Amino acid sequence: MKQGVIDSLNFNSENLEALFNDDENYIIETVKSIGAFEPQRWKEAFKKSLTRNLIEAKILHTAAGLMLPIKRYSRSPKKQVLEFAGLQGYNDKSKLLSELLSSLLEHIQDEQVVRVDVAIDFKGKIPNRVIKKLCEDREPFRYFNTTYYKSKSEKKSNNRLNIKTYNKSLTKNDTENIHRLEFSFLSSYLQKVQVKNLEKSFKKMEKTIKRFSGINVQISFL
């Protein structure tokens, strides 16, 4: 039995900023909104460009030095999405992110989860039997240091499930040489599950991981 850990969790809310507005430990910086557009600032913070489907983009700054993206998409303009990415990164930032998410959990129980990334780490290479199983139903596509496994009918946009593998070693000289298999469960898969019911979805996710990779996995949350 392999351990699966949640590396990323995104949730949305109609009243997201109210979680932070009255707390001096947080500052919200507007990057894209009516009268504001600073795409370079977004790229500096997250190493990614603003996409056209974002009608609003803000950065949540914490007293601990974290920066988290807050997004409002054109497809759901009434809700903002807060992204927790890198919860299992083997570094201080991951520890701070986990602590922040833990402190918010009691306040976001009724919010809708829109993405969950489950990571399965291997010391050394991912076993060949796992790669072979992934390739039974999906075609590998390598982009820089990441290999994506796309279904044969999958188009550019996918809002259900993404699978990828990559080297998670902290440095080139890292003796652990960790490789990660990651399953991203997206909105269509999650079916409007609320934070308070997320763990009830783990069995379904574990079965999906078993189906595509052959791995028996148990998912843990924080």
Side-chain angles (χ1 to χ4, degrees):
M1 179 75 70
K2 287 287 292 181
Q3 187 73 23
V5 291
I6 292 181
D7 183 56
S8 298
L9 185 144
N10 301 354
F11 67 90
N12 65 20
S13 172
E14 292 185 2
N15 200 26
L16 183 66
E17 292 183 45
L19 292 168
F20 311 102
N21 280 340
D22 298 325
D23 193 327
E24 61 183 11
N25 290 309
Y26 304 102
I27 297 174
I28 296 177
E29 175 188 0
T30 300
V31 175
K32 180 179 180 181
S33 187
I34 298 174
F37 185 60
E38 300 182 54
Q40 188 58 35
R41 183 73 187 94
W42 189 263
K43 196 163 189 177
E44 289 171 359
F46 305 117
K47 314 304 180 188
K48 295 180 180 179
S49 300
L50 286 170
T51 55
R52 291 184 178 182
N53 60 339
L54 287 180
I55 60 175
E56 182 183 79
K58 299 184 178 184
I59 301 173
L60 174 66
H61 297 266
T62 75
L66 294 173
M67 291 186 290
L68 286 79
I70 299 176
K71 302 177 180 180
R72 195 186 301 272
Y73 291 92
S74 56
R75 64 177 180 269
S76 54
K78 293 184 178 181
K79 294 188 176 183
Q80 291 176 306
V81 176
L82 179 60
E83 298 185 1
F84 281 84
L87 292 165
Q88 300 292 333
Y90 302 106
N91 54 33
D92 291 338
K93 180 182 176 181
S94 293
K95 182 180 178 180
L96 292 172
L97 281 170
S98 296
E99 290 173 352
L100 176 57
L101 181 56
S102 294
S103 71
L104 291 175
L105 280 179
E106 64 177 304
H107 306 292
I108 63 172
Q109 289 294 297
D110 294 327
E111 308 301 355
Q112 181 181 327
V113 181
V114 293
R115 174 172 172 170
V116 177
D117 290 1
V118 177
I120 307 162
D121 289 343
F122 297 84
K123 291 183 179 180
K125 293 184 178 180
I126 297 173
N128 288 333
R129 59 179 174 78
V130 174
I131 301 300
K132 184 177 180 180
K133 183 66 176 176
L134 290 171
C135 292
E136 285 182 4
D137 295 299
R138 295 186 164 234
E139 296 178 347
F141 169 73
R142 190 169 180 83
Y143 185 71
F144 288 98
N145 296 321
T146 301
T147 300
Y148 297 85
Y149 292 84
K150 300 288 188 180
S151 66
K152 295 178 174 62
S153 60
E154 186 175 324
K155 297 180 180 179
K156 186 175 181 180
S157 178
N158 177 7
N159 62 354
R160 182 172 175 79
L161 174 67
N162 283 318
I163 305 173
K164 59 185 177 181
T165 59
Y166 55 94
N167 190 326
K168 192 59 182 175
S169 301
L170 298 179
T171 68
K172 290 182 179 179
N173 297 321
D174 195 332
T175 56
E176 293 291 339
N177 195 24
I178 298 170
H179 284 78
R180 174 167 289 183
L181 168 62
E182 187 171 283
F183 284 74
S184 294
F185 299 96
L186 308 174
S187 56
S188 290
Y189 184 98
L190 295 168
Q191 295 291 310
K192 298 184 178 180
V193 66
Q194 294 174 299
V195 172
K196 63 185 177 185
N197 295 320
L198 178 59
E199 292 191 44
K200 295 179 181 179
S201 299
F202 286 177
K203 290 297 181 185
K204 177 184 175 184
M205 295 179 190
E206 289 164 359
K207 288 180 180 179
T208 298
I209 293 172
K210 170 72 173 178
R211 173 190 166 194
F212 286 107
S213 69
I215 301 172
N216 289 310
V217 64
Q218 184 175 35
I219 300 172
S220 62
F221 186 24
L222 297 181

